[in-house]
Amino acid sequence: HKITVITREDSTSQLPTGVEVKKVNYDDSSSLVEALKGQEVLIITMAVTASKEQQTKLIDAAAAANVPWILPNEFGGDPTELEMQKDTMLGEQKAKYREHIEQLGKSSWIGIICNFWYEFSLAGSSSRYGFDFENRSVTLFDDGNTRINTSTWPQTGRAVAKLLSLKILPVDANDKSASLSDFKNKFVYISSFNISQRDMLDSVLRVTGTTLADWKVSYEPVKERYQSGVEEFRNGNMLGFAKLLYARMFYPDNSGNYEITKGLHNDILGLPKENLDEYTNIAVEMAKSA
């Protein structure tokens, strides 16, 4: 693939070599349209704190530039789990972006569903997967046995690359192999691991060479944790948002376990099996440098 990066005019981000960089002004739609001309796919990756209008402006520009495919800023939980999406305060806005793409009628969307990123989430504060590496403590939600899907950064990147390597349409009526058109205005479900917090803890013990006796293990009802996260967020604490977001994924309703409710597209995309301890070790090292 030939990759073009769209970045703000005043951005100082260090970007990889081998990619074309186009500086844009989000307040000047013509600069966005010009940057997107001739592109086959627009992939949008933004923090949840980004302005809502920013993604809309990109979608509008893609339509004006006749970009046929858009991967909107999904990269998270299952959008068809409506109660979870409502509780996490993300689903309604994401649905609006997908609807906007369809209403414009120039592009088709494909949503990448990968749940939380494993190494990023494990390495983060206890507000994510409950682990505090510095103090060797972990908070298990309920009994710690609820399983969810979680994906590594490399697996997510591979999934996007493999998806966009598919032929656009079947060769003929007898061609049953995967094509990009199979996923038009649909979701692609990928995963690295289907695991519980206890599975994560077992991996952490193996990687760090510690025992359970070396760790402080506490328990918290997951629904109480979600509610406390909501209150903290309402009071202006952004860690509360992370807390409610992650807690909601571990509700015992399988909303975070789309592998058993929807199945995965890993095999269709030719994604490899990954080694849990390898990525746990990456998370441990990330936590040290945080």
Side-chain angles (χ1 to χ4, degrees), residues 134-147:
E134 183 177 359
N135 296 303
R136 281 192 181 171
S137 67
V138 59
T139 301
L140 299 181
F141 315 151
D142 292 337
D143 61 4
N145 285 316
T146 300
R147 304 180 77 83

Side-chain angles (χ1 to χ4, degrees), residues 2-110:
K2 180 181 177 184
I3 308 297
T4 300
V5 176
I6 294 176
T7 186
R8 294 185 305 276
E9 288 177 331
D10 59 352
S11 174
T12 57
S13 296
Q14 296 298 310
L15 299 169
T17 57
V19 299
E20 183 177 356
V21 179
K22 292 188 177 180
K23 300 276 188 175
V24 300
N25 180 350
Y26 278 91
D27 295 321
D28 177 8
S29 60
S30 64
S31 75
L32 293 173
V33 174
E34 187 61 34
L36 287 168
K37 282 183 178 177
Q39 301 293 336
E40 293 181 86
V41 187
L42 167 63
I43 304 169
I44 305 175
T45 58
M46 292 180 173
V48 294
T49 53
S51 166
K52 293 179 182 178
E53 293 75 27
Q54 207 155 320
Q55 186 166 184
T56 303
K57 289 176 180 179
L58 283 167
I59 291 168
D60 289 341
N66 293 309
V67 177
W69 299 94
I70 298 176
L71 271 58
N73 200 36
E74 295 287 343
F75 302 101
D78 184 357
T80 69
E81 293 288 345
L82 300 182
E83 284 300 312
M84 180 177 71
Q85 293 298 330
K86 179 182 177 181
D87 290 344
T88 57
M89 311 173 201
L90 295 174
E92 183 179 356
Q93 187 60 47
K94 287 185 175 184
K96 287 179 179 178
Y97 291 132
R98 297 192 298 269
E99 291 166 5
H100 188 53
I101 294 169
E102 292 184 31
Q103 288 167 357
L104 290 173
K106 295 291 189 70
S107 312
S108 300
W109 60 266
I110 301 176

Side-chain angles (χ1 to χ4, degrees), residues 183-201:
F183 301 103
K184 179 179 178 180
N185 296 342
K186 295 179 181 178
F187 301 108
V188 174
Y189 292 87
I190 68 150
S191 178
S192 294
F193 312 114
N194 184 269
I195 54 176
S196 67
Q197 284 181 292
R198 287 191 178 276
D199 295 327
M200 297 178 197
L201 179 56

